[in-house]
Amino acid sequence: MFKSAHRKPGQNTYASQVEKYSTLKYPHRLNFYDRPPLDDITIEEFEICALDRLRLLAEIESSYARNRTWEELKQVALKQSEHYLPLNSNTAKNKNIEAERRKDHIGHFVLRLAFCRTEELRRRFVKAELALFKVRYESDDRAEREEFLQSRDFGWDAVDDAELKMYAEQLAAASPPPMSQAGGKALEKYYKVRWTRVPDLVEKRRVFLKGGMAYVPAREQSSIIFEEFQRSLEKSLQLTLKHLPRLDEDTRIVPLLDNLSQGFMAGISSEWSSAPEAAGDEITADMIDGLARKHFPMCMRHLHESLRRDKHLKHHGRLQYGLFLKVLGLSIDEAIVFWRRSFSTMQDDKFNKEYKYNIRHSYGLEGKRANYPARSCQQILTSDTPGSQDSHGCPFRHFSSENLQTGLLSMYSSQGLGASDLLEVMSYVKNGHYHVACTRVFEITHSSQGVKKGDGVGNGESVTHPNQYASRSRELEKSSESVKVEGDGDVTMG
């Protein structure tokens, strides 16, 4: 089923790469994913489809964690969909609809493999996928949505006119008709289903029950559809779990699935591809103190302050911080200058023998000469758990509650974070939403630059990478400075 392939540098668009593979037809934008992909899929395609879908589902999870309203969640999901997983209607022009729907289809089934393993993963996956389906259902073209509904058997029976007249009073009482239906007569269509199919409507007392059947008005029809989607997906995940052992011997697939599930449990998407590119000009060793105070996320700021205090960092701390600085724009020459100054109590001979080689190695200049990416939030959260004497890791996960609150006030009070903000931040930490806590700190500390609650690091997106945090912070500063310069230029002299 799978073919090996390597992603080429600069390969940014997915749709143009899959036309030649597509053999299936996807007549509808909405999909219950009844049939798995049947054609050949490359390892590259397998990974890309899964990661881009995971980024979208992770933002939906973040929206729930941040208690966003449904409309706010919907807008975030639509923006993320446009970026990572576009899915246009049949009437869209100049769009490769077949490739878009193929990617959506494959990504869903890859994530099924990754998230069928435990009850917790299945529950969270179903919740996120159901939300995505609802967003698509509400934003779908009305005619195409109706075509999709006609293509499936949802197990409902249309209520005939005789029944409508017989129970007109009860139907109107359970679900008052729209204002246009004067007199309370049941003029709209109704459908009968077993009451267990619409527990949400039963709970809210919005349907008439008779003989174990719920009479659902057409305007509440979506509840039946959503329940059917959820039931179908839950059943499919159980079936997938039974077949999963067959993959255990495939050394290409299992590591990918492990990484995807770990990222989802951490609440963020995985980072198998390279980290974000450095934003702006190259930085020098002399600039790092200033950058750390203004732009670094807490994990990197803690590493920087530990380095300044102890004149040393242990191996995992050097690796986490060094790769972050590399991607931020620190050249190899400046990196050697920075680390030599930082290890100020160390003799030159010891530094050159024990540390200089490792710095050059991380830049791909020694050993196997690999271009190592900076560590993502998912990697920091799930690997190399720090001990009591270590400085690496994620403060939101690995610090005690007291130390975390003290550290937040110490590092960010000058940027607007106050004691009153800690209650909200710590509530995210308590519930295991560490990246949401970090995102909220970003919003608070950049409020003077126009960032509002819910904006995240742009378009409502949560922090998923330390370099993403730092790069966005620097971009906001440059934008503010540009606006200030333009404003000063408007002053006229008399």
Side-chain angles (χ1 to χ4, degrees):
M1 179 180 179
F2 302 105
K3 298 179 179 179
S4 296
H6 298 284
R7 194 171 192 175
K8 298 177 181 179
Q11 191 176 21
N12 296 321
T13 60
Y14 173 87
S16 62
Q17 302 297 318
V18 302
E19 260 186 79
K20 60 183 178 182
Y21 299 115
S22 185
T23 60
L24 302 178
K25 296 298 180 182
Y26 305 93
H28 307 292
R29 180 172 175 265
L30 297 173
N31 195 342
F32 265 51
Y33 308 102
D34 300 306
R35 299 178 181 177
L38 300 176
D39 50 341
D40 289 338
I41 302 170
T42 67
I43 292 294
E44 173 192 28
E45 191 176 9
F46 186 93
E47 179 182 346
I48 295 171
C49 293
L51 283 175
D52 284 349
R53 191 180 193 89
L54 181 56
R55 291 184 177 101
L56 175 54
L57 297 185
E59 282 304 324
I60 290 175
E61 272 221 325
S62 293
S63 294
Y64 280 122
R66 304 183 73 170
N67 294 316
R68 285 175 171 144
T69 65
W70 172 250
E71 283 304 314
E72 290 172 337
L73 182 152
K74 184 177 177 180
Q75 291 306 311
V76 169
L78 289 173
K79 288 180 180 178
Q80 293 294 307
S81 295
E82 185 178 346
H83 186 62
Y84 294 114
L85 201 63
L87 208 62
N88 286 283
S89 64
N90 293 335
T91 56
K93 296 180 179 179
N94 303 318
K95 301 292 184 181
N96 192 334
I97 296 173
E98 182 74 8
E100 290 179 351
R101 295 178 184 180
R102 173 188 165 88
K103 179 182 180 181
D104 175 74
H105 194 230
I106 293 172
H108 172 86
F109 276 92
V110 175
L111 293 189
R112 272 194 195 180
L113 292 173
F115 304 143
C116 70
R117 303 173 174 195
T118 69
E119 183 178 350
E120 172 68 6
L121 279 171
R122 292 193 295 272
R123 181 188 64 78
R124 290 171 60 176
F125 180 64
V126 169
K127 183 178 180 180
E129 280 283 347
L130 178 59
L132 177 59
F133 182 85
K134 288 180 179 179
V135 168
R136 289 174 172 174
Y137 183 89
E138 292 184 5
S139 61
D140 201 18
D141 178 87
R142 181 174 296 182
E144 292 183 25
R145 182 171 62 197
E146 188 61 30
E147 288 180 10
F148 168 75
L149 297 181
Q150 294 297 327
S151 72
R152 298 187 60 86
D153 179 11
F154 286 96
W156 56 47
D157 296 321
V159 180
D160 59 30
D161 291 340
E163 272 193 292
L164 289 177
K165 292 179 180 178
M166 184 184 304
Y167 300 120
E169 184 177 346
Q170 293 93 327
L171 293 173
S175 51
M179 294 296 293
S180 59
Q181 298 179 11
K185 297 180 180 179
L187 301 179
E188 68 175 312
K189 291 183 179 179
Y190 276 76
Y191 301 90
K192 285 193 298 185
V193 294
R194 296 293 302 175
W195 71 269
T196 53
R197 295 278 307 278
V198 285
D200 58 327
L201 297 181
V202 174
E203 180 184 10
K204 297 173 184 176
R205 300 189 177 188
R206 290 163 64 175
V207 289
F208 169 57
L209 299 179
K210 180 71 175 179
M213 304 298 286
Y215 287 67
V216 182
R219 62 181 182 275
E220 301 285 3
Q221 187 181 34
S222 60
S223 290
I224 304 174
I225 299 162
F226 298 155
E227 186 277 337
E228 178 68 14
F229 180 88
Q230 179 175 338
R231 185 194 62 79
S232 175
L233 182 53
E234 289 172 343
K235 181 179 179 181
S236 297
L237 286 170
Q238 292 290 347
L239 290 174
T240 304
L241 178 62
K242 292 181 180 180
H243 293 93
L244 194 63
R246 298 181 185 180
L247 286 176
D248 286 346
E249 296 180 1
D250 195 325
T251 57
R252 302 165 300 168
I253 305 303
V254 173
L256 283 171
L257 298 179
D258 289 341
N259 190 268
L260 290 166
S261 59
Q262 287 174 7
F264 198 57
M265 287 302 291
I268 54 181
S269 59
S270 314
E271 291 289 345
W272 277 80
S273 57
S274 60
E277 296 296 328
D281 301 326
E282 288 189 359
I283 64 174
T284 65
D286 293 333
M287 296 168 59
I288 295 177
D289 283 336
L291 291 171
R293 287 193 297 270
K294 293 190 293 183
H295 303 300
F296 285 11
M298 191 176 186
C299 56
M300 298 306 166
R301 189 156 176 178
H302 174 64
L303 282 166
H304 183 78
E305 293 184 358
S306 298
L307 178 60
R308 286 290 182 248
R309 182 188 67 241
D310 302 331
K311 314 299 182 185
H312 189 265
L313 282 177
K314 299 179 77 171
H315 171 72
H316 290 300
R318 295 197 306 274
L319 188 62
Q320 181 175 319
Y321 192 39
L323 292 174
F324 167 81
L325 294 175
K326 168 191 166 185
V327 172
L328 194 64
L330 191 69
S331 68
I332 179 60
D333 293 333
E334 288 294 325
I336 292 174
V337 171
F338 170 75
W339 288 104
R340 182 66 194 97
R341 288 179 184 172
S342 299
F343 291 180
S344 57
T345 59
M346 186 180 297
Q347 297 295 321
D348 285 341
D349 187 55
K350 180 178 176 64
F351 177 82
N352 290 332
K353 286 182 178 180
E354 299 182 19
Y355 297 95
K356 189 173 181 179
Y357 175 88
N358 288 333
I359 297 169
R360 289 177 53 81
H361 188 276
S362 67
Y363 276 76
L365 300 175
E366 302 288 355
K368 63 180 182 180
R369 300 182 183 276
N371 183 24
Y372 295 98
R375 292 190 168 184
S376 66
C377 293
Q378 184 260 325
Q379 291 169 318
I380 292 171
L381 282 166
T382 60
S383 62
D384 303 323
T385 302
S388 59
Q389 302 301 313
D390 290 315
S391 301
H392 67 281
C394 172
F396 295 99
R397 178 172 188 175
H398 299 124
F399 278 21
S400 68
S401 176
E402 295 76 12
N403 288 343
L404 177 58
Q405 294 182 70
T406 300
L408 283 168
L409 290 176
S410 172
M411 294 178 188
Y412 297 108
S413 60
S414 62
Q415 292 176 265
L417 187 143
S420 59
D421 298 311
L422 293 180
L423 185 62
E424 180 184 8
V425 173
M426 295 306 296
S427 69
Y428 297 133
V429 174
K430 182 179 179 180
N431 291 317
H433 300 297
Y434 310 113
H435 69 301
V436 176
C438 185
T439 303
R440 186 66 189 118
V441 170
F442 180 91
E443 292 171 343
I444 294 168
T445 55
H446 292 81
S447 60
S448 62
Q449 294 164 319
V451 178
K452 301 184 295 294
K453 183 176 181 179
D455 286 349
V457 288
N459 295 323
E461 190 170 344
S462 302
V463 175
T464 59
H465 201 292
N467 286 93
Q468 173 196 30
Y469 184 114
S471 296
R472 180 58 179 156
S473 179
R474 295 178 72 196
E475 288 173 8
L476 288 169
E477 181 183 58
K478 289 178 181 179
S479 297
S480 297
E481 291 175 350
S482 176
V483 170
K484 183 178 180 181
V485 169
E486 290 177 4
D488 291 342
D490 291 337
V491 177
T492 57
M493 301 298 292

